[in-house]
Amino acid sequence: MKESPLFWPAFLKKDVLFVLDETLIPEKVKYIQVKTPSQAVKVIKTMKTRAFGQFLVVLSTFLLVLKDKNIKSDKALVKKFFDVAHALNKSRPTFPFSEVTGMILGWAQKAQKENKDLRLSLQKSIEGFLFGIRGRRLERVQKLADTIKKHKVILTHCNVSGELAMAAQICKSAGKNISFFATETRPYFQGSRLTAWELKKAGVPVTLVADNAVATLMRDKIIDAVVVGSDRSCANGDFANKIGTLQIAVLAKEFDVPFYVLTQPSNKVKNGGDIPIEIRDENELLKVRGKRFAPKGVKGFYPGFDVVPHKFITKAIAINVN
Amino acid sequence: MKESPLFWPAFLKKDVLFVLDETLIPEKVKYIQVKTPSQAVKVIKTMKTRAFGQFLVVLSTFLLVLKDKNIKSDKALVKKFFDVAHALNKSRPTFPFSEVTGMILGWAQKAQKENKDLRLSLQKSIEGFLFGIRGRRLERVQKLADTIKKHKVILTHCNVSGELAMAAQICKSAGKNISFFATETRPYFQGSRLTAWELKKAGVPVTLVADNAVATLMRDKIIDAVVVGSDRSCANGDFANKIGTLQIAVLAKEFDVPFYVLTQPSNKVKNGGDIPIEIRDENELLKVRGKRFAPKGVKGFYPGFDVVPHKFITKAIAINVN
């Protein structure tokens, strides 16, 4: 099975964090070299990486700090960890980076209290956690394959970081050929640039549609299921995902199409109403390929995410937690 | 009140039909000079003009034929009318051009039978019809203003050819300041290029959103009504309009937002299921500004329209038909 570069888009090599520049795909597969925490915050803020890639960057940034030889004492290291956590947490409001950074800060304080070799202990914890995530994501890919294998044509929105392409390959090797429709996912075109690209690369048939064509695909029974990812989950099952997911969920209910979501369960937020929604720069909407498309003087409004109430979910395909 | 160039985007001047090139807006306001029926078919097929502009072109093309001095006999003129009607009818499947061309052919046959001066009689009929349409559209603008004046922030999709901008101005002069959200309307960007442009030009506040943001605007009560146009109506009240309209209608019902549509009632088609939907060239979706955006080898599916069942309509603002 081919692993999509989007499945694991950031990794440490010696003292450098390599981050896949998703804004260059499909034209180029190129990695940005991140050497400092502030560079890490920048690749997140500017959406050079997104979704799962951001979490890898968040986790790996602490590994970068551990390699910083200018930090001499344990005290200075813990202080640096707190500073880095703070900067990462506030980089994008909708993402629960604090859940990850909080966990790491907990490890740091515990190891310090227990008088362990702080650097070594933290490195082991973070690397072990990353290794665990990898395994649990591969498990989720299998669960996803088990869920979608009974369908023929699936609609997806935005990009679920490699998992859909892998699940489709599992189905294919079991003789179940599933094809996909991907929304282009304005304004960032993740569906066009990333999802269509990785599905095509994996040898899985994929057709692009405008975000406006979703109702037609459902009404005319061209698709028989929807799969989306989630950026954040709530205790009650509500979840936040890329703008446009809510309307697809509402339409799936109206047209009686199964609606599946890949989740990372969390109880930190009670329900969807409590998730803050990031409003991004209007220029990301008004400009296409860096050139302004909208008429002069017209404003744009670009909420980056929306929240889907749990009542619209047919089944959540959850990552195993703990 | 300023009249938007989109309100009357095609007109005859001597022997030339001037057609507003809507693909150049907002960068340029330029008119294409159409001198032959085949040029007229081309501006329609390539969507240089669209919606109401197409009907003006269809009607005006017969006026062009009347000015053709190479057509000597009445018999040749009627034959030419039939040929031109045929070419126009098949230019875009979703549009009921045959209703208009059929009417004109009826006039031609009747005038021929009654031994009238064929050219003069047809010219009077067509010009009179155009004059009548203009009046009835202005009436509809007034009706639209009466309907929207009780709202504060209105969402619109695609472009309703000048009427919304004029209705907003009527409201404004009555002290009711309405602002608008326009979907960008992928893949052709009519909302961005045309609607936002003409509203801004008319001094009416307008904000662009991605087509994906519709559910958020409704759920968060940022808008309190929807106004769309229609390309074709059915006897039962169903209507066809630009792709994306159906999903906005479903969402409006879900989130309890009034959904208004400007219609041209017709009984020629019984219900929405009988309207043929034009599937346009995938390149119009896959390329942005003429440059391919989608990854190599990926296909596109671009249905140009969708059909909204009448149950989703809060109120149809109909043009008076006599």
Side-chain angles (χ1 to χ4, degrees):
Chain A
M1 184 167 63
K2 278 188 224 166
E3 187 177 304
S4 166
L6 293 169
F7 184 72
W8 208 261
F11 50 84
L12 212 70
K13 230 177 180 174
K14 289 191 184 157
D15 296 352
V16 178
L17 174 60
F18 287 79
V19 182
L20 180 63
D21 186 345
E22 299 186 10
T23 65
L24 298 180
I25 293 174
E27 282 82 12
K28 282 180 202 162
V29 178
K30 207 179 151 184
Y31 289 81
I32 297 166
Q33 300 195 20
V34 168
K35 292 170 186 171
T36 66
S38 63
Q39 286 171 354
V41 168
K42 200 178 158 198
V43 296
I44 291 173
K45 271 197 180 168
T46 55
M47 282 175 72
K48 296 290 184 186
T49 188
R50 36 158 286 289
F52 181 63
Q54 298 178 136
F55 284 90
L56 289 178
V57 170
V58 167
L59 282 154
S60 307
T61 300
F62 291 96
L63 292 175
L64 269 187
V65 173
L66 291 178
K67 289 174 185 280
D68 184 346
K69 293 193 182 82
N70 293 318
I71 302 171
K72 305 291 183 193
S73 70
D74 280 7
K75 200 181 151 193
L77 184 67
V78 173
K79 188 188 174 303
K80 183 73 179 176
F81 263 41
F82 270 85
D83 291 347
V84 166
H86 180 68
L88 289 166
N89 290 350
K90 64 176 192 180
S91 63
R92 293 194 71 191
T94 299
F95 289 91
F97 295 150
S98 63
E99 294 183 21
V100 179
T101 58
M103 179 186 71
I104 294 175
L105 295 180
W107 292 338
Q109 289 174 304
K110 190 161 174 282
Q112 205 182 12
K113 214 188 277 174
E114 292 170 1
N115 255 323
K116 286 186 180 166
D117 178 334
L118 191 61
R119 279 179 200 250
L120 190 66
S121 157
L122 283 170
Q123 191 187 332
K124 274 191 179 172
S125 298
I126 296 171
E127 285 177 355
F129 185 76
L130 280 167
F131 188 77
I133 284 186
R134 189 174 168 82
R136 295 207 299 276
R137 285 190 74 212
L138 289 170
E139 281 168 25
R140 187 168 69 173
V141 166
Q142 187 59 58
K143 278 201 221 177
L144 176 59
D146 290 343
T147 301
I148 64 174
K149 70 182 178 198
K150 60 177 174 285
H151 296 289
K152 287 199 167 64
V153 188
I154 292 174
L155 172 70
T156 188
H157 182 59
C158 197
N159 177 261
V160 293
S161 305
E163 293 187 39
L164 203 56
M166 288 159 87
Q169 286 177 83
I170 293 173
C171 291
K172 199 176 174 181
S173 63
K176 305 272 180 191
N177 290 303
I178 301 169
S179 63
F180 291 83
F181 277 84
T183 60
E184 53 179 16
T185 317
R186 279 286 292 152
Y188 201 74
F189 288 108
Q190 289 98 332
S192 170
R193 296 189 302 102
L194 307 178
T195 302
W197 172 76
E198 65 173 359
L199 287 168
K200 174 79 193 164
K201 249 171 81 94
V204 178
V206 54
T207 304
L208 269 173
V209 288
D211 300 298
N212 280 321
V214 171
T216 284
L217 292 180
M218 292 181 179
R219 203 211 49 172
D220 294 350
K221 301 191 191 307
I222 297 171
I223 57 149
D224 63 354
V226 174
V227 174
V228 295
S230 62
D231 288 302
R232 188 161 193 180
S233 292
C234 306
N236 74 341
D238 297 353
F239 72 95
N241 193 44
K242 184 50 52 194
I243 188 76
T245 308
L246 171 59
Q247 57 201 53
I248 296 176
V250 171
L251 294 166
K253 189 122 202 151
E254 170 73 20
F255 293 107
D256 210 15
V257 175
F259 182 85
Y260 305 118
V261 54
L262 294 167
T263 60
Q264 306 75 234
S266 165
N267 290 315
K268 296 278 161 70
V269 177
K270 220 167 138 189
N271 65 61
D274 298 330
I275 298 180
I277 297 299
E278 177 180 8
I279 306 299
R280 291 192 62 87
D281 186 339
E282 60 171 10
N283 283 311
E284 295 182 4
L285 170 73
L286 302 176
K287 289 180 179 177
V288 177
R289 291 181 180 276
K291 213 186 139 188
R292 190 169 167 114
F293 211 84
K296 257 193 199 167
V298 170
K299 284 184 183 164
F301 175 56
Y302 173 13
F305 303 89
D306 53 29
V307 171
V308 178
H310 60 277
K311 68 172 178 179
F312 292 110
I313 302 170
T314 306
K315 189 170 138 190
I317 300 163
I319 208 156
N320 290 329
V321 186
N322 59 40
Chain B
M1 186 167 62
K2 277 188 226 168
E3 187 176 305
S4 167
L6 294 168
F7 184 75
W8 208 262
F11 49 85
L12 212 68
K13 227 176 182 173
K14 286 189 184 160
D15 295 354
V16 178
L17 174 60
F18 287 80
V19 182
L20 180 63
D21 186 345
E22 299 187 9
T23 65
L24 299 181
I25 292 174
E27 283 83 10
K28 281 180 203 162
V29 178
K30 207 179 149 184
Y31 289 80
I32 296 165
Q33 299 196 17
V34 168
K35 291 171 186 171
T36 66
S38 64
Q39 288 172 352
V41 168
K42 199 178 160 200
V43 295
I44 290 173
K45 272 196 178 168
T46 55
M47 282 177 70
K48 296 291 184 186
T49 188
R50 35 158 288 287
F52 181 63
Q54 297 177 134
F55 283 89
L56 288 179
V57 170
V58 166
L59 282 155
S60 306
T61 300
F62 291 96
L63 291 176
L64 270 186
V65 173
L66 290 178
K67 287 173 186 285
D68 183 347
K69 293 194 180 81
N70 293 319
I71 302 170
K72 306 289 185 194
S73 69
D74 281 4
K75 200 180 152 193
L77 184 67
V78 172
K79 187 187 175 303
K80 184 72 179 176
F81 262 41
F82 270 86
D83 292 347
V84 167
H86 180 69
L88 289 166
N89 290 350
K90 65 176 191 178
S91 62
R92 295 195 70 192
T94 299
F95 288 91
F97 295 150
S98 62
E99 295 183 21
V100 178
T101 57
M103 178 186 71
I104 293 174
L105 296 179
W107 292 339
Q109 290 173 304
K110 190 161 176 280
Q112 202 181 15
K113 211 188 280 177
E114 291 172 1
N115 256 322
K116 285 186 181 168
D117 178 333
L118 191 60
R119 281 178 197 250
L120 190 66
S121 156
L122 283 170
Q123 190 187 331
K124 272 190 181 172
S125 298
I126 297 170
E127 286 178 351
F129 185 76
L130 281 167
F131 188 77
I133 284 186
R134 189 174 168 83
R136 295 206 299 274
R137 285 191 74 213
L138 289 171
E139 279 168 23
R140 187 167 70 170
V141 166
Q142 186 60 57
K143 276 201 223 177
L144 176 58
D146 290 342
T147 301
I148 63 175
K149 70 181 178 197
K150 59 177 173 288
H151 296 288
K152 285 197 169 62
V153 187
I154 292 174
L155 172 69
T156 188
H157 182 60
C158 197
N159 178 261
V160 293
S161 304
E163 294 187 38
L164 203 55
M166 287 159 89
Q169 287 178 82
I170 292 173
C171 290
K172 199 176 174 182
S173 63
K176 305 271 179 191
N177 290 303
I178 301 169
S179 64
F180 291 83
F181 277 83
T183 60
E184 54 179 14
T185 318
R186 280 286 293 152
Y188 201 73
F189 288 108
Q190 290 96 334
S192 171
R193 296 188 303 100
L194 307 179
T195 302
W197 173 76
E198 65 174 357
L199 286 170
K200 174 80 191 162
K201 252 172 77 94
V204 179
V206 55
T207 304
L208 270 172
V209 288
D211 300 299
N212 279 320
V214 171
T216 285
L217 292 180
M218 291 180 179
R219 202 210 52 171
D220 294 350
K221 302 193 189 307
I222 297 171
I223 57 148
D224 62 355
V226 174
V227 173
V228 295
S230 62
D231 287 303
R232 191 161 188 178
S233 292
C234 305
N236 74 341
D238 297 353
F239 72 95
N241 193 44
K242 183 49 54 192
I243 188 74
T245 308
L246 172 59
Q247 55 202 56
I248 297 176
V250 171
L251 294 165
K253 189 124 203 149
E254 170 72 21
F255 294 106
D256 209 14
V257 174
F259 182 86
Y260 305 118
V261 54
L262 293 166
T263 60
Q264 307 72 238
S266 164
N267 289 316
K268 296 279 161 69
V269 177
K270 217 167 140 189
N271 65 61
D274 299 330
I275 297 180
I277 296 298
E278 176 181 10
I279 306 298
R280 292 191 62 89
D281 186 339
E282 60 170 11
N283 283 311
E284 295 182 4
L285 170 72
L286 301 175
K287 290 182 179 176
V288 177
R289 289 182 181 277
K291 213 185 139 189
R292 188 167 169 116
F293 211 86
K296 258 192 197 166
V298 170
K299 283 184 185 167
F301 175 56
Y302 174 13
F305 303 88
D306 54 26
V307 171
V308 177
H310 60 277
K311 68 172 177 176
F312 292 110
I313 302 170
T314 306
K315 189 170 138 189
I317 301 163
I319 209 157
N320 290 328
V321 184
N322 34 16

Short mmCIF file of all heavy atoms in Angstrom, two decimals, chain A residues 51-92:
data_model
loop_
_atom_site.label_atom_id
_atom_site.label_comp_id
_atom_site.label_asym_id
_atom_site.label_seq_id
_atom_site.Cartn_x
_atom_site.Cartn_y
_atom_site.Cartn_z
N ALA A 51 -4.42 20.58 9.51
CA ALA A 51 -5.03 19.35 10.02
C ALA A 51 -4.02 18.53 10.81
O ALA A 51 -3.37 19.05 11.72
CB ALA A 51 -5.65 18.56 8.86
N PHE A 52 -3.85 17.26 10.44
CA PHE A 52 -2.96 16.40 11.21
C PHE A 52 -1.52 16.89 11.21
O PHE A 52 -0.79 16.76 12.20
CB PHE A 52 -3.04 14.96 10.69
CG PHE A 52 -2.17 14.02 11.46
CD1 PHE A 52 -2.39 13.79 12.81
CD2 PHE A 52 -1.09 13.38 10.85
CE1 PHE A 52 -1.58 12.93 13.55
CE2 PHE A 52 -0.28 12.52 11.58
CZ PHE A 52 -0.52 12.30 12.93
N GLY A 53 -1.09 17.47 10.10
CA GLY A 53 0.27 17.99 9.99
C GLY A 53 0.60 18.98 11.09
O GLY A 53 1.71 19.02 11.62
N GLN A 54 -0.40 19.78 11.48
CA GLN A 54 -0.18 20.76 12.54
C GLN A 54 0.16 20.09 13.86
O GLN A 54 0.98 20.59 14.62
CB GLN A 54 -1.45 21.59 12.75
CG GLN A 54 -1.86 22.38 11.54
CD GLN A 54 -3.15 23.13 11.80
OE1 GLN A 54 -3.26 24.28 11.45
NE2 GLN A 54 -4.11 22.49 12.41
N PHE A 55 -0.54 18.98 14.15
CA PHE A 55 -0.28 18.29 15.40
C PHE A 55 1.11 17.69 15.42
O PHE A 55 1.80 17.71 16.44
CB PHE A 55 -1.35 17.22 15.65
CG PHE A 55 -2.62 17.85 16.11
CD1 PHE A 55 -3.59 18.23 15.20
CD2 PHE A 55 -2.83 18.13 17.46
CE1 PHE A 55 -4.74 18.86 15.62
CE2 PHE A 55 -3.97 18.75 17.89
CZ PHE A 55 -4.94 19.12 16.96
N LEU A 56 1.52 17.18 14.26
CA LEU A 56 2.89 16.68 14.18
C LEU A 56 3.88 17.81 14.43
O LEU A 56 4.88 17.63 15.13
CB LEU A 56 3.14 16.05 12.80
CG LEU A 56 2.44 14.72 12.53
CD1 LEU A 56 2.75 14.25 11.11
CD2 LEU A 56 2.89 13.65 13.54
N VAL A 57 3.59 18.97 13.85
CA VAL A 57 4.49 20.10 14.04
C VAL A 57 4.50 20.52 15.51
O VAL A 57 5.57 20.76 16.10
CB VAL A 57 4.10 21.28 13.12
CG1 VAL A 57 4.88 22.55 13.50
CG2 VAL A 57 4.35 20.92 11.66
N VAL A 58 3.33 20.58 16.12
CA VAL A 58 3.25 20.95 17.55
C VAL A 58 4.10 20.00 18.39
O VAL A 58 4.96 20.42 19.17
CB VAL A 58 1.78 20.95 18.03
CG1 VAL A 58 1.70 21.01 19.55
CG2 VAL A 58 1.03 22.13 17.41
N LEU A 59 3.90 18.71 18.22
CA LEU A 59 4.66 17.73 19.00
C LEU A 59 6.15 17.81 18.70
O LEU A 59 7.00 17.81 19.60
CB LEU A 59 4.14 16.32 18.67
CG LEU A 59 2.82 15.94 19.36
CD1 LEU A 59 2.07 14.88 18.57
CD2 LEU A 59 3.08 15.46 20.79
N SER A 60 6.49 17.90 17.42
CA SER A 60 7.89 17.85 17.02
C SER A 60 8.65 19.11 17.43
O SER A 60 9.87 19.08 17.58
CB SER A 60 8.01 17.65 15.51
OG SER A 60 7.26 16.52 15.12
N THR A 61 7.92 20.21 17.58
CA THR A 61 8.58 21.44 17.99
C THR A 61 9.25 21.27 19.36
O THR A 61 10.35 21.77 19.61
CB THR A 61 7.58 22.61 18.02
OG1 THR A 61 7.04 22.76 16.71
CG2 THR A 61 8.25 23.92 18.42
N PHE A 62 8.62 20.51 20.24
CA PHE A 62 9.24 20.25 21.55
C PHE A 62 10.49 19.38 21.41
O PHE A 62 11.45 19.54 22.16
CB PHE A 62 8.21 19.61 22.50
CG PHE A 62 7.11 20.57 22.89
CD1 PHE A 62 5.91 20.59 22.20
CD2 PHE A 62 7.30 21.47 23.92
CE1 PHE A 62 4.91 21.48 22.55
CE2 PHE A 62 6.31 22.38 24.27
CZ PHE A 62 5.10 22.39 23.58
N LEU A 63 10.46 18.48 20.43
CA LEU A 63 11.68 17.69 20.16
C LEU A 63 12.80 18.60 19.69
O LEU A 63 13.97 18.43 20.05
CB LEU A 63 11.40 16.60 19.12
CG LEU A 63 10.46 15.46 19.57
CD1 LEU A 63 10.17 14.51 18.41
CD2 LEU A 63 11.08 14.67 20.73
N LEU A 64 12.44 19.60 18.87
CA LEU A 64 13.43 20.59 18.42
C LEU A 64 14.04 21.32 19.62
O LEU A 64 15.25 21.52 19.69
CB LEU A 64 12.77 21.65 17.52
CG LEU A 64 12.70 21.47 16.02
CD1 LEU A 64 12.15 22.76 15.40
CD2 LEU A 64 14.07 21.16 15.42
N VAL A 65 13.18 21.72 20.55
CA VAL A 65 13.64 22.44 21.74
C VAL A 65 14.62 21.57 22.53
O VAL A 65 15.64 22.05 23.03
CB VAL A 65 12.45 22.87 22.63
CG1 VAL A 65 12.94 23.47 23.95
CG2 VAL A 65 11.56 23.87 21.88
N LEU A 66 14.30 20.28 22.61
CA LEU A 66 15.18 19.36 23.36
C LEU A 66 16.58 19.30 22.77
O LEU A 66 17.55 18.97 23.45
CB LEU A 66 14.57 17.95 23.39
CG LEU A 66 13.30 17.76 24.23
CD1 LEU A 66 12.79 16.34 24.12
CD2 LEU A 66 13.56 18.12 25.70
N LYS A 67 16.67 19.60 21.47
CA LYS A 67 17.98 19.54 20.81
C LYS A 67 18.75 20.86 20.90
O LYS A 67 19.88 20.96 20.42
CB LYS A 67 17.79 19.15 19.33
CG LYS A 67 17.37 17.68 19.19
CD LYS A 67 17.03 17.32 17.76
CE LYS A 67 16.51 15.91 17.68
NZ LYS A 67 17.59 14.90 17.70
N ASP A 68 18.11 21.85 21.49
CA ASP A 68 18.74 23.17 21.57
C ASP A 68 19.82 23.17 22.66
O ASP A 68 19.51 23.13 23.85
CB ASP A 68 17.66 24.22 21.87
CG ASP A 68 18.21 25.64 21.87
OD1 ASP A 68 19.46 25.80 21.91
OD2 ASP A 68 17.40 26.58 21.83
N LYS A 69 21.06 23.25 22.22
CA LYS A 69 22.18 23.15 23.18
C LYS A 69 22.40 24.42 23.97
O LYS A 69 23.16 24.44 24.94
CB LYS A 69 23.46 22.74 22.44
CG LYS A 69 23.36 21.32 21.89
CD LYS A 69 24.68 20.76 21.43
CE LYS A 69 24.50 19.38 20.85
NZ LYS A 69 24.04 19.41 19.42
N ASN A 70 21.72 25.50 23.57
CA ASN A 70 21.86 26.75 24.34
C ASN A 70 21.06 26.73 25.63
O ASN A 70 21.23 27.59 26.49
CB ASN A 70 21.41 27.94 23.49
CG ASN A 70 22.36 28.16 22.32
OD1 ASN A 70 23.57 28.05 22.50
ND2 ASN A 70 21.81 28.41 21.15
N ILE A 71 20.14 25.77 25.71
CA ILE A 71 19.36 25.65 26.95
C ILE A 71 20.14 24.73 27.89
O ILE A 71 20.26 23.54 27.63
CB ILE A 71 17.95 25.09 26.66
CG1 ILE A 71 17.22 26.01 25.67
CG2 ILE A 71 17.16 24.96 27.96
CD1 ILE A 71 15.92 25.46 25.14
N LYS A 72 20.65 25.32 28.95
CA LYS A 72 21.59 24.57 29.80
C LYS A 72 20.88 23.83 30.95
O LYS A 72 21.12 22.65 31.18
CB LYS A 72 22.65 25.52 30.40
CG LYS A 72 23.41 26.34 29.36
CD LYS A 72 24.34 25.46 28.51
CE LYS A 72 25.14 26.34 27.54
NZ LYS A 72 25.82 25.59 26.49
N SER A 73 20.03 24.52 31.68
CA SER A 73 19.46 23.90 32.89
C SER A 73 18.08 23.31 32.63
O SER A 73 17.40 23.66 31.67
CB SER A 73 19.33 24.97 33.98
OG SER A 73 18.30 25.89 33.61
N ASP A 74 17.67 22.40 33.51
CA ASP A 74 16.33 21.84 33.44
C ASP A 74 15.28 22.93 33.60
O ASP A 74 14.23 22.92 32.95
CB ASP A 74 16.14 20.78 34.55
CG ASP A 74 16.78 19.45 34.17
OD1 ASP A 74 17.46 19.41 33.11
OD2 ASP A 74 16.61 18.48 34.92
N LYS A 75 15.57 23.85 34.50
CA LYS A 75 14.64 24.95 34.77
C LYS A 75 14.40 25.77 33.49
O LYS A 75 13.26 26.10 33.14
CB LYS A 75 15.22 25.83 35.87
CG LYS A 75 14.17 26.70 36.56
CD LYS A 75 14.80 27.59 37.63
CE LYS A 75 14.00 28.86 37.78
NZ LYS A 75 14.71 29.88 38.55
N ALA A 76 15.50 26.07 32.81
CA ALA A 76 15.39 26.85 31.57
C ALA A 76 14.62 26.06 30.51
O ALA A 76 13.84 26.61 29.72
CB ALA A 76 16.78 27.20 31.05
N LEU A 77 14.84 24.76 30.50
CA LEU A 77 14.15 23.92 29.52
C LEU A 77 12.64 23.93 29.76
O LEU A 77 11.84 24.11 28.83
CB LEU A 77 14.69 22.48 29.61
CG LEU A 77 14.13 21.51 28.57
CD1 LEU A 77 14.58 21.89 27.16
CD2 LEU A 77 14.55 20.08 28.88
N VAL A 78 12.25 23.77 31.02
CA VAL A 78 10.82 23.76 31.34
C VAL A 78 10.20 25.12 31.02
O VAL A 78 9.10 25.21 30.47
CB VAL A 78 10.58 23.37 32.82
CG1 VAL A 78 9.10 23.53 33.19
CG2 VAL A 78 11.03 21.93 33.06
N LYS A 79 10.93 26.18 31.35
CA LYS A 79 10.42 27.52 31.03
C LYS A 79 10.21 27.66 29.51
O LYS A 79 9.19 28.17 29.05
CB LYS A 79 11.40 28.59 31.53
CG LYS A 79 10.81 29.98 31.37
CD LYS A 79 11.75 31.11 31.65
CE LYS A 79 11.10 32.46 31.33
NZ LYS A 79 10.63 32.58 29.94
N LYS A 80 11.19 27.18 28.74
CA LYS A 80 11.10 27.25 27.29
C LYS A 80 9.88 26.45 26.80
O LYS A 80 9.15 26.89 25.91
CB LYS A 80 12.40 26.68 26.67
CG LYS A 80 12.46 26.77 25.15
CD LYS A 80 12.68 28.20 24.67
CE LYS A 80 12.76 28.25 23.15
NZ LYS A 80 12.88 29.62 22.66
N PHE A 81 9.68 25.28 27.39
CA PHE A 81 8.52 24.46 27.03
C PHE A 81 7.21 25.24 27.23
O PHE A 81 6.32 25.22 26.39
CB PHE A 81 8.50 23.16 27.86
CG PHE A 81 9.09 21.97 27.14
CD1 PHE A 81 10.25 22.09 26.37
CD2 PHE A 81 8.49 20.71 27.22
CE1 PHE A 81 10.80 20.99 25.70
CE2 PHE A 81 9.02 19.61 26.56
CZ PHE A 81 10.18 19.75 25.80
N PHE A 82 7.13 25.94 28.37
CA PHE A 82 5.91 26.72 28.64
C PHE A 82 5.73 27.83 27.60
O PHE A 82 4.63 28.06 27.10
CB PHE A 82 5.94 27.28 30.07
CG PHE A 82 5.32 26.35 31.08
CD1 PHE A 82 6.08 25.33 31.66
CD2 PHE A 82 3.97 26.46 31.42
CE1 PHE A 82 5.50 24.46 32.58
CE2 PHE A 82 3.39 25.58 32.34
CZ PHE A 82 4.16 24.57 32.92
N ASP A 83 6.82 28.52 27.27
CA ASP A 83 6.75 29.61 26.29
C ASP A 83 6.32 29.09 24.92
O ASP A 83 5.48 29.67 24.24
CB ASP A 83 8.13 30.29 26.15
CG ASP A 83 8.51 31.07 27.41
OD1 ASP A 83 7.61 31.27 28.27
OD2 ASP A 83 9.69 31.44 27.54
N VAL A 84 6.93 27.97 24.53
CA VAL A 84 6.62 27.39 23.22
C VAL A 84 5.17 26.91 23.18
O VAL A 84 4.44 27.14 22.21
CB VAL A 84 7.59 26.22 22.92
CG1 VAL A 84 7.10 25.37 21.75
CG2 VAL A 84 8.99 26.76 22.63
N ALA A 85 4.72 26.30 24.28
CA ALA A 85 3.33 25.83 24.35
C ALA A 85 2.37 27.01 24.18
O ALA A 85 1.40 26.94 23.42
CB ALA A 85 3.07 25.13 25.69
N HIS A 86 2.67 28.10 24.84
CA HIS A 86 1.82 29.27 24.77
C HIS A 86 1.73 29.80 23.33
O HIS A 86 0.64 30.09 22.82
CB HIS A 86 2.37 30.36 25.71
CG HIS A 86 1.56 31.61 25.70
ND1 HIS A 86 0.27 31.67 26.22
CD2 HIS A 86 1.83 32.85 25.21
CE1 HIS A 86 -0.21 32.89 26.05
NE2 HIS A 86 0.72 33.63 25.45
N ALA A 87 2.89 29.91 22.68
CA ALA A 87 2.91 30.42 21.30
C ALA A 87 2.15 29.50 20.34
O ALA A 87 1.42 29.95 19.46
CB ALA A 87 4.35 30.59 20.82
N LEU A 88 2.30 28.20 20.53
CA LEU A 88 1.60 27.24 19.67
C LEU A 88 0.09 27.29 19.93
O LEU A 88 -0.72 27.30 18.99
CB LEU A 88 2.13 25.82 19.90
CG LEU A 88 3.55 25.55 19.38
CD1 LEU A 88 4.09 24.24 19.97
CD2 LEU A 88 3.57 25.49 17.84
N ASN A 89 -0.29 27.34 21.19
CA ASN A 89 -1.72 27.32 21.55
C ASN A 89 -2.50 28.44 20.89
O ASN A 89 -3.64 28.26 20.48
CB ASN A 89 -1.90 27.46 23.07
CG ASN A 89 -1.44 26.22 23.81
OD1 ASN A 89 -1.16 25.20 23.20
ND2 ASN A 89 -1.36 26.31 25.13
N LYS A 90 -1.87 29.61 20.80
CA LYS A 90 -2.64 30.74 20.29
C LYS A 90 -2.49 30.90 18.76
O LYS A 90 -3.03 31.85 18.19
CB LYS A 90 -2.29 32.03 21.03
CG LYS A 90 -0.87 32.49 20.86
CD LYS A 90 -0.64 33.85 21.56
CE LYS A 90 0.71 34.40 21.11
NZ LYS A 90 1.07 35.66 21.69
N SER A 91 -1.80 29.97 18.11
CA SER A 91 -1.58 30.13 16.67
C SER A 91 -2.85 30.00 15.83
O SER A 91 -3.04 30.72 14.86
CB SER A 91 -0.52 29.13 16.17
OG SER A 91 -0.97 27.80 16.36
N ARG A 92 -3.75 29.08 16.20
CA ARG A 92 -5.01 28.94 15.46
C ARG A 92 -6.13 28.59 16.44
O ARG A 92 -6.16 27.49 16.99
CB ARG A 92 -4.90 27.86 14.37
CG ARG A 92 -3.93 28.27 13.26
CD ARG A 92 -4.10 27.38 12.05
NE ARG A 92 -5.34 27.65 11.36
CZ ARG A 92 -5.85 26.87 10.39
NH1 ARG A 92 -5.23 25.78 10.05
NH2 ARG A 92 -6.98 27.19 9.80
#
